[in-house]
């Protein structure tokens, strides 16, 4: 797309920007990651797992939620690669993935809480 093809010319040279713009599918991947943080319980679980490795029963107790509800959130977080799990005997332990995406989202959550929820 060139400037001449735009309905309105505002005097901006945007060809270079459009050449660098990621593909629509890449934005969909990012939107999928952000959608996982659209639930406050899921954000809390993700935050917790960024700081420790824990099993479903303990996460449920810490979050004051049922184990099935926690399992549902863990499944969503795991499907998009934000958390990982490991089995030890009958127990499954979860923690945040050591990926750039998980680290960035963790940092964003902490900064947003700091900005949006300042201490009185």
């Amino acid at each position: 797309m060139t400037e001449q093809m735009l309905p309105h010319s505002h005097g901006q040279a945007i060809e270079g920007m459009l050449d660098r713009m990621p593909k629509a599918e890449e934005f969909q991947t990012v939107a999928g990651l952000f959608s996982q943080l659209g639930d406050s319980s899921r954000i809390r679980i993700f935050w917790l797992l960024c700081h420790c490795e824990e099993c479903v029963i303990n996460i449920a107790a810490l979050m004051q939620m049922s184990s099935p509800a926690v399992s549902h959130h863990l499944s969503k977080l795991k499907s998009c690669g934000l958390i990982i799990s490991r089995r030890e005997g009958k127990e499954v332990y979860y923690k945040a993935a050591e990926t750039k995406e998980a680290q960035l989202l963790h940092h964003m959550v902490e900064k947003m809480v700091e900005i949006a929820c300042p201490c009185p």
Side-chain angles (χ1 to χ4, degrees), residues 17-29:
M17 178 193 60
L18 292 177
D19 291 339
R20 294 188 318 267
M21 180 181 273
K23 295 178 184 174
E25 300 82 33
E26 293 169 340
F27 282 108
Q28 187 57 45
T29 299

Side-chain angles (χ1 to χ4, degrees), residues 3-113:
E3 192 171 347
Q4 291 79 17
M5 294 173 65
L6 295 175
H8 297 109
S9 175
H10 301 287
Q12 300 177 37
I14 64 167
E15 295 89 5
M17 178 193 60
L18 292 177
D19 291 339
R20 294 188 318 267
M21 180 181 273
K23 295 178 184 174
E25 300 82 33
E26 293 169 340
F27 282 108
Q28 187 57 45
T29 299
V30 173
L33 286 170
F34 280 122
S35 73
Q36 296 310 312
L37 299 180
D39 181 286
S40 63
S41 295
R42 201 169 298 140
I43 294 172
R44 291 176 64 224
I45 292 169
F46 175 68
W47 183 91
L48 176 70
L49 296 177
C50 287
H51 296 272
C52 66
E53 180 181 61
E54 203 49 83
C55 67
V56 173
I57 299 294
N58 287 351
I59 296 169
L62 290 165
M63 298 292 121
Q64 298 178 342
M65 297 172 65
S66 70
S67 292
V70 167
S71 292
H72 171 77
H73 290 302
L74 291 170
S75 174
K76 294 253 184 198
L77 290 167
K78 189 172 180 185
S79 71
C80 68
L82 291 175
I83 65 170
I84 58 172
S85 64
R86 70 173 178 89
R87 181 173 292 278
E88 189 173 297
K90 292 183 179 183
E91 205 70 63
V92 178
Y93 293 90
Y94 296 88
K95 68 177 183 175
E98 294 180 12
T99 63
K100 289 181 182 179
E101 294 88 353
Q103 291 171 1
L104 178 60
L105 287 173
H106 175 229
H107 182 71
M108 288 173 50
V109 167
E110 290 203 334
K111 284 297 179 189
M112 288 304 297
V113 168

